[in-house]
Amino acid sequence: MRYISTRGRAPELGFDAALLAGLATDGGLYVPASWPRFSGAEWATMAGLDYAALAAKIIAPYMRGSVAEPKLVAITQQAYGTFTHKAVAPLVQLDSQLWLMELFHGPTLAFKDYALQLVGLLFDHVLKARGSRITIVGATSGDTGSAAIDACKDREAVDIFILHPAGRVSDVQRRQMTTVQSNNVHNIAVQGSFDDCQNLVKAMFADARFRTDLNLSAVNSINWARIMAQIVYYAFAALRLGSEQRPVAFSVPTGNFGNVFAGYVAKQMGLPIAKFAVGSNRNDILTRYFETGSMTANDVVPTLSPSMDIQISSNFERLLFSAYNNDGAAVASLMDRFKQSGVYAVDAAAHAAIMDLFVGDRLDDVGTKATMKSVFAATGHVVDPHTVIGIHAARALKTLPGTPVIALGTAHPAKFPDAVEAAIGQRPVLPAHLADLFTRPERLTTLGNDLDQIKAYVRQNARKI
Ligand SMILES: *Cc1c(COP(=O)(O)O)cnc(C)c1O
């Protein structure tokens, strides 16, 4: 498979190089040159596979020419073998039309484990084959960081630096990152917002010398391999609940647009998916875009769902590229405009194509707590403040007759105990493997929102390449 940049001015790469590169040199994001498709009959043969076996089937075409299929099967079995639920991504029914897919049975209790456990192993495999090392830098609004650190800790070929906005991630999220004692793990608390962290990471990548000296690589959702791994659970759910005759719909609590974009790819691969609902908190740039056709950045406000507290949804660029029929120049000019003015308008044809498939909704903190409470009262399920936004947004899909709606459960409620307790009056308990989290010692460094200071820290602390 060949990979091309959404801005059309970076070299085409194979899978290994796209995995290691993260962001393309023209500032764009890598996407496959074409979407692999399975026929209805081919999907039908995959319906009974377990999660790891299905994962190997779905991602094989994206890695053809890089990782051989038997090796891939071993890697997916290793990646998902440690998950604490046998089904890996179980579905629970909430009402006659609505299901919840629990994507929090990995080591750090958020859906990001489903991609990163696999990506960590792929890095290891590819780097060993090349005899090289990398420095991973990433920004996190909470859950990416812990999932990436867990996936990369103690790996010989990797140093990992994770930037998080100081004081703006939950105690559980921070401790899941800072209590990892491996020498190759570095936590940086930045005095700024998640978007500041993301901009710092982008600026490090934009510095060609720094990028080369440190062999920089990314694991945030700009990395294609993460999207690829996330396609699997959409297929897993669609095959369980749907069929060629019965499309399904998904509702996804959304920040960077990485999760829901993987659903879009699942549809391009031939799965019968009718529509996606995109749920936002008060940081609702996407919902406003769906309402107006214009993408307009605002300031970030902190909410009860911090992993969605962002105003720039990086992965939306991948959808735009597709909606503009792979016109990299058109996408580059929209992104330039956005960088300059904080606004761009999508042209009518592309916007109409997007609106065919997506609907946006939003929920503020008051609504978040009220809905957590009503879901608990109606179903007995305790859901976290991100998941509940997807459950709320599902209402737009329930008008599709005879269509099962699957809301994605993106985090375990015990990751956000204060919000859950405030909503339902009960404190969720951490699973056994994290029971002593609050007594483990922390390691982190606090730095200003200052590119030079952060680059100097990374240079000093990365092992020699
Ligand atoms: C990361 C995250 C999201 C947002 O996912 P995107 O891929 O950034 O849209 C939602 N919920 C939780 C719990 C997350 O960790």
Side-chain angles (χ1 to χ4, degrees):
M1 177 65 80
R2 304 297 296 167
Y3 288 85
I4 56 178
S5 165
T6 50
R7 300 196 191 172
R9 291 182 305 239
E12 266 186 50
L13 301 178
F15 176 80
D16 293 6
L19 171 74
L20 297 174
L23 202 65
T25 51
D26 59 1
L29 281 66
Y30 276 107
V31 287
S34 62
W35 302 121
R37 258 187 103 81
F38 295 119
S39 66
E42 286 169 318
W43 282 118
T45 65
M46 292 185 233
L49 296 178
D50 69 25
Y51 194 89
L54 180 67
K57 287 273 182 235
I58 289 176
I59 68 187
Y62 293 103
M63 296 168 51
R64 203 147 280 147
S66 296
V67 182
E69 211 165 319
K71 178 68 198 172
L72 190 53
V73 171
I75 289 176
T76 59
Q77 277 168 356
Q78 191 183 345
Y80 300 111
T82 58
F83 283 49
T84 56
H85 194 291
K86 259 213 217 104
V88 179
L91 287 161
V92 297
Q93 191 159 6
L94 295 184
D95 68 29
S96 61
Q97 198 185 356
L98 182 64
W99 278 259
L100 175 67
M101 179 159 52
E102 294 181 352
L103 298 174
F104 46 73
H105 296 289
T108 73
L109 311 182
F111 83 91
K112 283 159 179 117
D113 288 326
Y114 289 72
L116 284 164
Q117 287 293 313
L118 181 73
V119 170
L121 293 172
L122 291 175
F123 269 120
D124 219 30
H125 178 74
V126 166
L127 290 168
K128 273 187 189 142
R130 296 182 164 206
S132 61
R133 309 175 33 82
I134 52 169
T135 306
I136 288 175
V137 294
T140 187
S141 53
D143 296 329
T144 306
S146 53
I149 286 169
D150 192 275
C152 295
K153 67 183 180 200
D154 297 326
R155 291 198 195 287
E156 243 327 287
V158 177
D159 284 318
I160 179 164
F161 294 80
I162 295 294
L163 281 56
H164 71 264
R168 295 209 195 169
V169 300
S170 78
D171 289 346
V172 176
Q173 287 178 315
R174 189 191 67 253
R175 286 187 154 271
Q176 282 186 310
M177 298 192 280
T178 58
T179 58
V180 174
Q181 296 296 330
S182 309
N183 286 330
N184 70 331
V185 169
H186 305 274
N187 281 289
I188 303 175
V190 175
Q191 288 161 330
S193 69
F194 170 63
D195 284 338
D196 293 330
C197 294
Q198 192 157 251
N199 286 334
L200 288 162
V201 169
K202 281 192 176 163
M204 285 190 259
F205 275 93
D207 178 341
R209 166 101 190 273
F210 187 78
R211 180 177 174 148
T212 313
D213 284 356
L214 289 150
N215 219 359
L216 279 200
S217 209
V219 289
N220 44 358
S221 60
I222 57 177
N223 195 307
W224 163 255
R226 276 186 59 184
I227 306 283
M228 174 187 83
Q230 291 169 177
I231 301 165
V232 178
Y233 47 74
Y234 286 93
F236 193 65
L239 294 174
R240 290 261 174 313
L241 292 184
S243 67
E244 277 299 271
Q245 292 73 42
R246 188 168 83 151
V248 296
F250 289 94
S251 184
V252 187
T254 296
N256 228 336
F257 208 75
N259 195 0
V260 71
F261 184 75
Y264 172 82
V265 177
K267 181 175 169 71
Q268 306 315 303
M269 291 183 76
L271 283 162
I273 301 174
K275 210 163 177 122
F276 300 93
V278 174
S280 304
N281 59 29
R282 269 184 65 209
N283 299 295
D284 59 351
I285 184 169
L286 286 165
T287 312
R288 285 182 283 116
Y289 161 73
F290 291 122
E291 287 166 353
T292 63
S294 157
M295 196 70 88
T296 310
N298 278 354
D299 289 339
V300 180
V301 294
T303 72
L304 293 176
S305 41
S307 298
M308 294 156 61
D309 285 349
I310 71 178
Q311 275 298 7
I312 302 167
S313 297
S314 308
N315 272 290
F316 193 76
E317 182 169 341
R318 288 188 158 113
L319 181 65
L320 279 179
F321 185 65
S322 203
Y324 276 82
N325 301 312
N326 292 10
D327 181 349
V331 172
S333 96
L334 290 180
M335 293 302 130
D336 285 347
R337 202 164 312 152
F338 192 62
K339 197 167 177 189
Q340 242 115 72
S341 64
V343 186
Y344 65 83
V346 176
D347 83 27
H351 184 60
I354 290 170
M355 293 309 292
D356 250 9
L357 270 184
F358 294 90
V359 54
D361 204 343
R362 60 167 75 73
L363 195 62
D364 65 12
D365 280 355
V366 172
T368 295
K369 282 192 272 190
T371 312
M372 284 160 82
K373 192 172 174 182
S374 63
V375 168
F376 182 56
T379 70
H381 282 278
V382 179
V383 293
D384 97 286
H386 303 80
T387 299
V388 80
I389 292 174
I391 292 175
H392 169 75
R395 63 186 180 169
L397 303 174
K398 291 178 107 182
T399 57
L400 301 167
T403 304
V405 178
I406 300 147
L408 269 53
T410 52
H412 191 289
K415 273 199 113 155
F416 304 94
D418 297 337
V420 172
E421 190 173 13
I424 67 164
Q426 287 180 25
R427 203 161 175 86
V429 185
L430 283 166
H433 72 278
L434 289 168
D436 65 342
L437 187 66
F438 279 84
T439 57
R440 296 179 194 169
E442 290 191 82
R443 272 174 65 217
L444 82 167
T445 304
T446 303
L447 297 175
N449 177 15
D450 175 346
L451 182 61
D452 289 335
Q453 200 187 351
I454 287 170
K455 277 184 179 161
Y457 181 84
V458 173
R459 273 194 193 275
Q460 267 159 28
N461 289 283
R463 290 172 292 183
K464 288 282 168 291
I465 297 299

